[in-house]
Amino acid sequence: MCNSLTPQPYRATGSDGSGKQGYPPAPEPLPVPVMDNHTHLDFPTKDVQVGVGAALDAAEAVGVRGAVQVGTDLESSRFTVRAVDLDSRLLGAVAIHPNDAPEYARRGELEAALREIEDLAAHPRIRAIGETGLDFFRTEGEGLAPQRYSFRRHIDIAKRLDLTLQIHDRDAHDDVVQVLREEGTPDRVVFHCYSGGEDLARICNREGWFMSFAGALTFKNAEGLRASLAVADPALVLVETDSPFLTPHPHRGRPNASYMVPYTVRAMAELTNSDLARLCTQISENTLRAYGSWD
């Protein structure tokens, strides 16, 4: 993991000049600014590590006026606190990722890690506990018990600190909903990189939980996501990159970044037959309700 905060420019092409390895070209700017509510600025790519300022400059140039930098372990959560102090266009989320929780537990370090997460979350620009949740794709067997325990502890921290809960849910929809109902939720819950179907979307509608759609919505095999967006309450819809992952079509396979949000937003407008400016306004208003003001 690279923790550089030094601004560097994006490269639109690979080192060989082919254009296949580097960052994609910038999209047309959005008519109304929105925010990327989930990015990992500290995660390296095969191309170049871009600094916080450069990443946010590129995003702002196409109508993405802010982002939520998300921690996944202690190192990246500490980075997040440093980053939100560096640039006012960032808010932050801190947590131990569900796939990392079993490893912390194996080393006997989970309780100490959770205490530090709570300490880091006291920073005024840390607005969410996340990403936390359940992942039955990469964790199984003995790792599931500490993963569930960690999820419940993160919910408790979010409730006590009145922070948004940012959920990682992979192949675990029913179990995530069960835990949320058993524990009770904070006032604001976001299903990061929404991956459920229409049934989960209807549950989110009833519960008032935000659904954050990423570039996967544009993939050819994402019919279930597109059907979910169609039934999602527009007042609960957010957008994200999860960068450097999940680069939207037509640039899938290349590095992702916050400046790529317009590709996904335009796809959302087309899929829902929405006016683009009106959709951008709705997403921006939703994001402010989820995380508070960037100002």
Side-chain angles (χ1 to χ4, degrees):
M1 182 176 297
C2 179
N3 284 341
S4 171
L5 299 175
T6 303
Q8 301 175 46
Y10 282 108
R11 287 209 299 265
T13 62
S15 58
D16 62 356
S18 67
K20 296 181 180 179
Q21 296 176 2
Y23 286 93
E28 182 181 349
L30 293 171
V32 175
V34 301
M35 289 75 92
D36 175 2
N37 92 108
H38 193 109
T39 185
H40 302 282
L41 292 170
D42 52 321
F43 284 16
T45 72
K46 295 179 180 178
D47 188 62
V48 63
Q49 176 64 29
V50 177
V52 168
L56 295 171
D57 287 347
E60 191 170 21
V62 295
V64 182
R65 69 178 183 89
V68 179
Q69 157 63 28
V70 179
T72 58
D73 57 15
L74 289 182
E75 183 181 358
S76 63
S77 293
R78 292 165 186 155
F79 169 92
T80 296
V81 171
R82 298 198 303 272
V84 298
D85 276 335
L86 180 71
D87 198 305
S88 62
R89 292 172 292 185
L90 275 187
L91 296 179
V94 295
I96 304 300
H97 192 282
N99 289 326
D100 291 321
E103 181 60 22
Y104 277 94
R106 186 190 65 79
R107 299 195 303 261
E109 299 172 357
L110 183 56
E111 292 297 340
L114 291 168
R115 287 194 296 271
E116 182 171 346
I117 290 298
E118 183 163 357
D119 290 342
L120 293 170
H123 189 290
R125 295 191 70 80
I126 300 299
R127 302 291 178 78
I129 298 297
E131 57 188 283
T132 182
L134 299 175
D135 188 319
F136 294 168
F137 180 78
R138 295 193 182 278
T139 298
E140 57 186 6
E142 294 181 354
L144 292 178
Q147 185 179 94
R148 290 179 184 275
Y149 173 77
S150 178
F151 184 25
R152 292 178 188 273
R153 287 289 308 278
H154 281 86
I155 293 172
D156 176 65
I157 294 170
K159 288 165 64 177
R160 286 190 289 103
L161 298 184
D162 189 26
L163 294 175
T164 302
L165 184 70
Q166 234 190 43
I167 292 176
H168 172 103
D169 165 25
R170 189 167 187 186
D171 294 352
H173 312 316
D174 292 344
D175 292 75
V176 166
V177 171
Q178 179 182 346
V179 171
L180 290 174
R181 287 175 170 165
E182 289 174 355
E183 295 295 319
T185 63
D187 290 339
R188 299 164 304 281
V189 173
V190 176
F191 276 73
H192 133 68
C193 192
Y194 182 86
S195 61
E198 294 177 65
D199 289 344
L200 180 58
R202 292 189 176 95
I203 291 172
C204 290
N205 287 344
R206 290 196 298 270
E207 299 289 345
W209 297 337
F210 292 97
M211 292 159 274
S212 178
F213 291 89
L217 181 76
T218 69
F219 297 172
K220 291 182 179 179
N221 62 349
E223 291 84 359
L225 290 181
R226 291 187 279 273
S228 297
L229 177 63
V231 303
D233 182 345
L236 297 173
V237 169
L238 306 176
V239 70
E240 66 173 91
T241 56
D242 196 21
S243 56
F245 313 110
L246 299 177
T247 308
H249 178 80
H251 301 294
R252 187 177 183 181
R254 296 171 70 176
N256 199 6
S258 291
Y259 78 88
M260 300 285 286
V261 160
Y263 288 108
T264 302
V265 174
R266 284 190 166 85
M268 294 168 71
E270 182 177 349
L271 290 166
T272 58
N273 195 29
S274 300
D275 174 78
L276 180 60
R278 187 174 297 114
L279 176 62
C280 290
T281 299
Q282 178 78 74
I283 290 173
S284 181
E285 292 174 351
N286 295 348
T287 310
L288 292 173
R289 284 192 294 111
Y291 300 100
S293 174
W294 264 250
D295 297 332

